[in-house]
């Protein structure tokens, strides 16, 4: 296999979509979330050092998942309905108390420039996502239009990595592997369909 061109810079976030579970146990089609301005992803982890005989004998990293903040130009009402935070009434769209927590998948794309000057699109899926209601703030403090932005907080709990036979994959120590996110580029197999449907991470044959 030819070596991939190194991506020198990465920028932008676009084409953010979400997919929720369906009745068959899989996921439904991706739905657009509207236009976005930023996504910031951080690890949710902690560390602990254990000492014996006056020195550190082990340093443990406990990764619990990831957190993210998605900043958009507007609130996606369809997404809020799907998450159980809004409901369409006879009179209009109502905010309601959230009584369910739906694990879903978020998809987005980023742009880049590689060593050959080309601009490949990287596609990313976040797995096991839950979210909270975005805050809304509107202001007018100049004589020009003051556009608003809306932040949605995401918790990313991941999904099990699958073995080639479809069972949960285990490493050589017997541990199941959890995937928080997966990114593919044009050189990866299945790039064309990645994003047209939910693709669960799976090991090769």
């Amino acid at each position: 296999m030819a070596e991939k061109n190194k991506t020198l810079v990465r920028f932008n976030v676009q084409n953010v979509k979400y997919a929720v579970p369906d009745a068959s146990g899989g996921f439904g089609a991706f739905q657009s979330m509207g236009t976005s301005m930023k996504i910031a992803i951080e690890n949710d982890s902690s560390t602990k050092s254990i000492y014996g005989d006056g020195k550190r004998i082990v340093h443990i990293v406990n990764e619990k998942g990831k957190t993210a903040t998605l900043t958009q130009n507007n609130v996606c009402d369809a997404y809020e309905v799907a998450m159980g935070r809004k409901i369409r009434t006879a009179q209009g769209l109502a905010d309601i108390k959230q009584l369910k927590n739906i694990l879903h998948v978020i998809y987005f794309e980023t742009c880049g420039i590689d060593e050959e000057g080309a601009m490949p699109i990287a596609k990313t899926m976040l797995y096991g996502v839950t979210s909270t209601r975005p805050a809304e703030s509107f202001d007018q403090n100049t004589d020009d239009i003051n556009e608003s932005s809306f932040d949605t907080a995401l918790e990313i709990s991941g999904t099990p990595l699958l073995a080639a036979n479809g069972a949960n994959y285990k490493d050589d120590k017997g541990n199941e592997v959890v995937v928080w996110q997966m990114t593919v580029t044009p050189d990866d197999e299945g790039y064309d369909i990645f994003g047209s449907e939910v693709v669960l991470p799976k090991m090769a044959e």
Side-chain angles (χ1 to χ4, degrees):
M1 179 182 296
E3 186 176 349
K4 295 181 181 180
N5 290 323
K6 182 179 179 181
T7 299
L8 302 178
V9 295
R10 188 155 297 288
F11 55 93
N12 198 13
V13 58
Q14 62 189 36
N15 200 20
V16 178
K17 301 185 286 188
Y18 67 97
V20 297
D22 61 19
S24 69
F27 287 88
F30 275 112
Q31 307 294 323
S32 173
M33 284 187 71
T35 56
S36 301
M37 304 166 67
K38 179 181 178 180
I39 186 166
I41 303 173
E42 297 184 1
N43 290 321
D44 181 9
S45 61
S46 60
T47 61
K48 182 176 179 63
S49 296
I50 298 176
Y51 293 82
D53 288 347
K55 60 183 179 182
R56 189 175 73 181
I57 58 175
V58 66
H59 182 70
I60 302 171
V61 178
N62 178 24
E63 282 201 326
K64 307 162 191 174
K66 293 190 175 190
T67 61
T69 301
L70 176 63
T71 303
Q72 298 196 278
N73 299 94
N74 200 1
V75 176
C76 177
D77 290 335
Y79 176 73
E80 293 301 303
V81 170
M83 295 301 108
R85 296 190 284 263
K86 290 181 183 288
I87 192 170
R88 296 196 179 277
T89 70
Q91 294 77 29
L93 189 64
D95 283 29
I96 60 173
K97 180 178 179 180
Q98 185 172 349
L99 298 174
K100 54 185 176 181
N101 209 20
I102 299 173
L103 287 173
H104 57 287
V105 175
I106 295 286
Y107 168 91
F108 65 91
E109 298 171 355
T110 53
C111 304
I113 298 178
D114 65 22
E115 293 174 310
E116 295 181 344
M119 298 181 64
I121 299 294
K123 303 176 178 180
T124 299
M125 287 188 195
L126 307 176
Y127 298 100
V129 178
T130 56
S131 64
T132 55
R133 191 188 311 271
E136 299 184 32
S137 178
F138 306 92
D139 63 85
Q140 186 65 48
N141 51 30
T142 70
D143 61 0
D144 202 353
I145 295 173
N146 297 155
E147 72 274 13
S148 297
S149 60
F150 304 87
D151 291 340
T152 300
L154 309 176
E155 295 278 343
I156 305 161
S157 60
T159 189
L161 175 62
L162 300 178
N165 62 5
N168 286 359
Y169 173 84
K170 294 184 179 181
D171 65 16
D172 57 2
K173 301 298 183 182
N175 298 297
E176 291 191 355
V177 177
V178 177
V179 178
W180 315 126
Q181 70 183 68
M182 183 164 62
T183 299
V184 302
T185 58
D187 293 325
D188 292 316
E189 183 178 351
Y191 175 83
D192 289 341
I193 66 168
F194 197 89
S196 62
E197 60 186 39
V198 172
V199 176
L200 296 178
K202 190 174 184 179
M203 295 296 287
E205 295 284 350

